Structure formats: C-alpha cells, structure tokens
Amino acid sequence: MKRSLPGTLLWFVILLVVWEITARSGLVSELVLPSITVVFASFGGELISGSLLSGTFVSLGFVVAGILSGAFTAFILAALSFQFAAVKRLSSMLTAVLHPLPGIAVLPILILFFGIGRLTLLMVIIHSVLWPLVVNITAGFSSVPAVYQKIGANYALKSSAFFFRIMLPASFPHIFSGLKTAWARAWRAAVSAEMIFGITGSGGGLGWFVFQKRIFMDTPGMYAGILMLALIGLIVESGLFHLIEAETLKKWGEA
Amino acid sequence: MSANTENLKTPVLRFENAGFAYPGYSPVLSEFSASLYEGEIICIIGASGCGKSTMLSLAGGFLLPDSGLITDSRGTVSGPEPKRIMVFQDSAQLFPWLTVFANASFPDADPTHVSELLEMVDLADAAEKYPSQLSGGMKQRAVIARALAGRPEILLLDEPFTALDAPTRRGLQDMLLELNSELGVSMMFVTHDIREAVYLADRLLIMTPGGVKMMNIELERGAGKRDEFSNEFVAIEREVYGIISPDKS
C-alpha cells in the first residue's frame, strides 16, 4: 500500500500532542514520561555536547563493520554452495540451525569465547546478518535464469566476468532483500547487546547511551537516545533503502 | 543450388556427416551434410519435437555432434562463441538492470555500431529505457540488436517471434530481412510457422521423422517482396505442409 506523507505526519503530530497532554496532566510521573518539549530539549543538548552523536557513530560503525564482514562471508559461502553440493548441504544445515537464533541468544557463548568487548559485539552482529544474507544470496544465485548462462557462454565470458556482470546484478533483488533484513537484525542486535551487557564499555554506542541514561534516571536523555534510534532506523529504512530501491529495482521493473 | 544461393560466396557453416542423439532416444540427426552460405537465410521447420532447436544448438556449439563434424570459417565447432550468436527462445533475454543501449552493447560492443544498430531496429529513441518499459516487439528488436552488435558471422534464431502478434511479427520479419541485406550476416532461423519460414528463407531445412530435406525457395527475397497470398507462395506453403504432415495434406 502506498504511504501518504501528510497522513503519516498527521498521525505523528497527534501522537506527540497526546504524549504532551498526558505528560502535563500529572497522571504519569515525569520520571516515567517527561514532557515532549523536555525530551526535545535534552535531545538538542545531547547533540550539542556530542555524546549522542558519538554514540550513534559508534553503533553505526559496528553495524557497518558487521554487515560488511557478514556480507563478505555470506558471498563466499553462497558462491561455494553454488559450486559444490557438499558445501551447499553444510550451508543449508548451518542456516537451518543458526538462522532462527537471535543474536542475543548466542551472546553468552560468544562471551565465553571472546570475553566482554568489542569483538564479541561484532560477532553478534555478524551472526545476525550472516544467515539471512546466505539465504538470500543463495536464493538469488539459484534464481538466475538458465538462459543467462547460455548468453554468458555464447559471449565466451570468463567466470569472473560472468559473476560480476550477470550473476551479481541478476541476483540483486534477492541480495537487496537480504541486506534490508541484515540491517534490521544488525541494528537491533547491536543496540540490544549494548543495552543488556553494556559490552562496549567506555566510548559505547547508542544502546549504551540509553542504558546509562536509564541507570542514572535521566529519563529525558533516555528518550532522546531512543528518539535517535528511531531516527536512524527511519533514515536507513525509509530513506537509504527507499532511494536504492527507486534507483534500481523500480527502474528495472522488479520492485 | 538455387538462383538465390548461386551468388552466395562461401560457406560459413558446414555440417559434414553430422550425427546426434540424446542418450536413450532415436537420433535427431544422422549422416547429415549441409552448408550455410555467407548472407544466406536458412529456416528450419518441422513438427514439434523433431529436433529444430537441437539443430540450432549444434550450429551454435551448445551441443556437439556424436559423429561427423560441424565446421565454421575458423575450423571445427567445439563450443559456443560470439561469432555464432544465438537468440534463444526464452522471452526474457534482456538484462533488466541495463538500459536498451547497455543491453545492446553487452558485453563490449563498439558504441558507434550499437547506435547504428539501434537506428536500424528503430530503437534509437528507446536507448535509455529499461527492458521493463518496452513492448514485446521492442524487446525482441533489442535482443536482435545485441546479437548483431558484436558483428557475428552467423545469427541463430530460435523461434524469436513466436509470442508476438501478427502485425508485430511481420514488422520484425521485414526488419530481419533488411538487417540481412545491409549487414550480410548469415542466419539460421527456427520456426514452426510455415508462412514465416517461406517469407524469410533462401532455403528451408525441413525436419521430419524420416530425415532432413532441403528446399530452395525460388522467390525474390527481401522486406515486403514475397506476397503470401500469391499462388507461388501458397503452393510452396502447401508443399512444405505436405512434407511435414503427409497424412493431413
């Protein structure tokens, strides 16, 4: 269904008004639900102080590093699965077992192996993105029309040229879908891990920022952090992915 | 050799006692010899399942003969290559992520030649469009432009116009005849439509369960030159029909 921007904005304003009325009515403690103006003031203050932005960049840095590492591994696994039946069986088994496991569920195991620290957080993110990417890239490779193989053979394309000029773009709809899932899982996993374990320690990410604000009962600051989480999600999912989709799949008639 | 083939210079593809059978099935070809000449159009026709596409795949090097030889201007055909380019039966041969121009240039055709070809197939105005924005006829024209962009010696077409309506088909048949005349590219064209085959071909290669028969078409060939309602045209159609379906003629 096509989203209407004015309709969405109207609902957003209504929710803010309801929030403000509830906060000002005194029915709920300001430690639980501060006024929206106070939250915005805190958001601005944290932005100016730099702590909100530094937390955002730390979390985004982890997520990007995790997605790149996961995507690299997923491509290798999917390519090997495409070539070798034995690897395909191994990949299918691993995906069936590990794909349903939330990143947070494997965190205790990773802490045992790697301790509490940045490497563990990175591994959680890699786990979160690897399996949906493997599933989607494998599906993408398998869905490349057989006639493309013949066209590649007819033009005597080398394997690398066939991969980069035909296989990869032909698989792009699946890969893009995998990337969207990977981003969503990675972002949630990173923030959750930071919130639950605070494992990035000093100089932590956005999850750690929210976690600290809650511990010190800086409720407006906590909401400011959550607002930033929502904003980043909105920018990436409705902005970046939307833009990529408009420039690729929609133009190609595959959206 | 017919009047049409007498002027043709050199063979660009030869089947020499070629035989082929899919494992466990009767031979599609046995001891088959024929040549495709420079600039010639041979239409391959026959009942469904008689091996028309197999014949084309052998010519393209996608299949290799069990016995005998298939040779082109460079020697024995041992696999597919860009000088023998195939237009496959599949309707989705254009890459959806590339514009018409980029598709026609694939993989590395001369851009000037591609522009000329797009003019010839009347797609110059659609060069920056994506395949999803094209009609069925435009897609097939783009496919043919891509096939010709690498300056192949032989164009192998496997029922390329089957899914199109009659007026679009006629337009594309005339376009193909013009391309053949201007570029001199030889063509093997598989079709199940006798009228299309008689309209296009210098010679027909008629495949029947009893074997392969070659037939010259003694009518002047060219875009719009053969009148499908003329007595001569209809007589050839009937003769071909009689060969393909002797029980029904």
Side-chain angles (χ1 to χ4, degrees):
Chain A
M1 195 192 294
K2 203 171 179 178
R3 278 180 297 183
S4 145
L5 187 62
T8 308
L9 280 176
L10 178 67
W11 273 111
F12 187 66
V13 171
I14 289 172
L15 282 175
L16 289 183
V17 170
V18 171
W19 179 337
E20 191 63 15
I21 291 170
T22 311
R24 284 175 187 264
S25 69
L27 291 171
V28 185
S29 162
E30 63 179 5
L31 286 176
V32 176
L33 189 75
S35 154
I36 197 72
T37 50
V38 175
V39 171
F40 281 151
S42 174
F43 186 86
E46 296 292 356
L47 268 184
I48 291 163
S49 77
S51 58
L52 195 52
L53 279 180
S54 73
T56 304
F57 286 129
V58 167
S59 290
L60 280 176
F62 272 108
V63 168
V64 170
I67 288 177
L68 289 178
S69 311
F72 180 71
T73 314
F75 267 109
I76 291 174
L77 200 53
L80 290 173
S81 300
F82 190 71
Q83 292 287 333
F84 306 107
V87 180
K88 188 174 184 179
R89 279 192 288 276
L90 171 69
S91 172
S92 301
M93 184 272 286
L94 287 174
T95 306
V97 173
L98 296 172
H99 186 31
L101 278 182
I104 290 302
V106 296
L107 192 54
I109 303 169
L110 293 173
I111 288 173
L112 284 178
F113 276 89
F114 304 110
I116 293 175
R118 289 161 190 267
L119 181 60
T120 301
L121 178 57
L122 191 63
M123 297 303 283
V124 169
I125 297 169
I126 291 173
H127 163 80
S128 300
V129 304
L130 178 60
W131 308 111
L133 279 173
V134 167
V135 168
N136 280 276
I137 295 169
T138 305
F141 286 172
S142 305
S143 69
V144 173
V147 72
Y148 289 179
Q149 302 255 12
K150 291 182 182 173
I151 292 169
N154 208 164
Y155 285 107
L157 293 185
K158 289 179 181 166
S159 302
S160 56
F162 180 73
F163 180 78
F164 286 109
R165 298 191 66 180
I166 295 183
M167 284 282 283
L168 212 51
S171 312
F172 183 75
H174 284 87
I175 295 171
F176 183 64
S177 167
L179 278 174
K180 287 204 284 191
T181 310
W183 152 260
R185 287 185 59 149
W187 184 237
R188 285 153 184 74
V191 171
S192 306
E194 288 171 355
M195 278 189 185
I196 295 172
F197 296 93
I199 56 176
T200 56
S202 60
L206 207 46
W208 181 238
F209 176 92
V210 173
F211 180 77
Q212 275 187 316
K213 295 294 178 190
R214 187 189 68 79
I215 290 292
F216 294 110
M217 285 309 286
D218 177 2
T219 310
M222 183 191 78
Y223 277 109
I226 291 169
L227 188 62
M228 182 57 108
L229 281 172
L231 269 176
I232 296 294
L234 201 66
I235 289 167
V236 173
E237 287 172 27
S238 299
L240 182 64
F241 285 136
H242 196 72
L243 190 69
I244 294 172
E245 195 167 340
E247 287 300 313
T248 55
L249 301 181
K250 281 194 177 153
K251 276 191 180 171
W252 308 345
E254 297 193 356
Chain B
M1 193 178 284
S2 74
N4 287 333
T5 54
E6 272 168 9
N7 295 328
L8 300 168
K9 297 142 195 145
T10 46
V12 288
L13 191 74
R14 296 177 83 102
F15 286 70
E16 297 173 39
N17 299 314
F20 180 82
Y22 290 105
Y25 290 89
S26 311
V28 178
L29 282 183
S30 77
E31 298 288 311
F32 174 69
S33 296
S35 296
L36 171 71
Y37 294 95
E38 193 178 334
E40 185 184 23
I41 300 179
I42 288 182
C43 283
I44 304 170
I45 192 151
S48 293
C50 67
K52 302 188 292 291
S53 296
T54 302
M55 176 78 86
L56 209 63
S57 294
L58 285 162
F62 290 92
L63 294 171
L64 297 177
D66 301 328
S67 58
L69 271 182
I70 299 172
T71 56
D72 64 10
S73 57
R74 278 169 302 284
T76 305
V77 169
S78 57
E81 63 161 294
K83 285 290 168 193
R84 282 175 277 104
I85 209 80
M86 188 112 157
V87 170
F88 298 95
Q89 203 171 353
D90 198 300
S91 61
Q93 290 174 70
L94 292 174
F95 301 128
W97 61 90
L98 298 179
T99 61
V100 168
F101 189 87
N103 259 292
S105 307
F106 189 89
D108 49 13
D110 169 20
T112 312
H113 185 49
V114 171
S115 298
E116 288 165 4
L117 278 169
L118 290 180
E119 287 280 353
M120 290 168 81
V121 301
D122 200 20
L123 279 179
D125 292 340
E128 294 311 312
K129 287 188 173 174
Y130 286 88
S132 63
Q133 300 168 295
L134 306 181
S135 67
M138 290 167 90
K139 282 180 187 168
Q140 284 309 82
R141 282 188 269 152
V143 167
I144 289 167
R146 181 174 71 190
L148 293 168
R151 302 180 197 275
E153 282 181 359
I154 304 168
L155 187 59
L156 305 161
L157 303 113
D158 193 356
E159 302 196 32
F161 308 145
T162 302
L164 305 174
D165 58 81
T168 308
R169 281 180 81 144
R170 177 46 47 88
L172 287 170
Q173 288 159 2
D174 283 339
M175 180 202 79
L176 210 57
L177 288 168
E178 280 165 9
L179 289 169
N180 169 262
S181 134
E182 288 185 36
L183 304 173
V185 63
S186 309
M187 298 183 187
M188 287 180 84
F189 188 107
V190 166
T191 179
H192 60 263
D193 181 344
I194 298 173
R195 185 167 295 178
E196 180 171 60
V198 176
Y199 188 76
L200 288 172
D202 288 300
R203 287 188 293 163
L204 296 182
L205 193 156
I206 306 166
M207 299 186 77
T208 67
V212 179
K213 182 178 167 54
M214 297 294 286
M215 179 194 274
N216 295 325
I217 307 288
E218 307 284 356
L219 300 173
E220 189 186 2
R221 179 166 68 70
K225 288 193 175 164
R226 289 181 180 170
D227 177 4
E228 63 191 29
F229 300 108
S230 70
N231 291 337
E232 299 95 321
F233 193 104
V234 173
I236 296 169
E237 258 190 292
R238 282 192 179 148
E239 187 183 349
V240 175
Y241 188 74
I243 297 168
I244 294 172
S245 310
D247 301 338
K248 295 176 187 169
S249 60

